[in-house]
């Protein structure tokens, strides 16, 4: 089983999702999200799809104090909305 780590980070222009903590390329990557919540929601969706194919996935989000794991109970909050 593979563990995929998904990172939601701010690159100065907006929020981006990357599969590696250092894999954000502002000039060549997709247009950044303007809202942090939208980027987190899409990262959580991607993690659910990865889990559905049998691999493990963790989502981390950049905060003022560094990268933090998005807890699984947050996934349930996103599913309710």
């Amino acid at each position: 089983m593979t563990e995929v780590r998904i990172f939601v980070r701010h690159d100065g222009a907006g929020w981006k999702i990357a599969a590696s903590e250092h894999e954000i390329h502002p000039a060549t990557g997709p247009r950044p999200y303007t809202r942090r919540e939208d980027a987190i929601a899409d990262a959580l969706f991607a993690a659910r799809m990865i889990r559905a194919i049998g691999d493990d996935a963790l989502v981390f989000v950049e905060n003022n104090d560094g990268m933090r794991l998005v807890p699984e109970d947050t996934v349930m909050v996103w599913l309710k909305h």
Side-chain angles (χ1 to χ4, degrees), residues 37-52:
E37 293 80 14
D38 292 339
I40 293 171
D42 283 357
L44 290 171
F45 177 78
R48 286 194 300 275
M49 295 302 104
I50 291 168
R51 288 186 198 108

Side-chain angles (χ1 to χ4, degrees), residues 1-73:
M1 179 184 291
T2 304
E3 179 181 87
V4 177
R5 292 175 178 234
I6 301 170
F7 298 92
V8 177
R9 300 189 63 202
H10 197 277
D11 70 351
W15 293 93
K16 288 201 173 185
I17 299 172
S20 165
E21 194 169 358
H22 303 290
E23 184 185 297
I24 296 181
H25 306 286
T28 60
R31 193 183 85 225
Y33 293 84
T34 55
R35 291 175 14 110
R36 179 178 185 249
E37 293 80 14
D38 292 339
I40 293 171
D42 283 357
L44 290 171
F45 177 78
R48 286 194 300 275
M49 295 302 104
I50 291 168
R51 288 186 198 108
I53 62 170
D55 289 331
D56 193 21
L58 300 172
V59 176
F60 295 86
V61 66
E62 183 177 52
N63 291 314
N64 293 341
D65 58 349
M67 298 301 280
R68 296 285 180 201
L69 179 65
V70 177
E72 288 299 317
D73 58 343

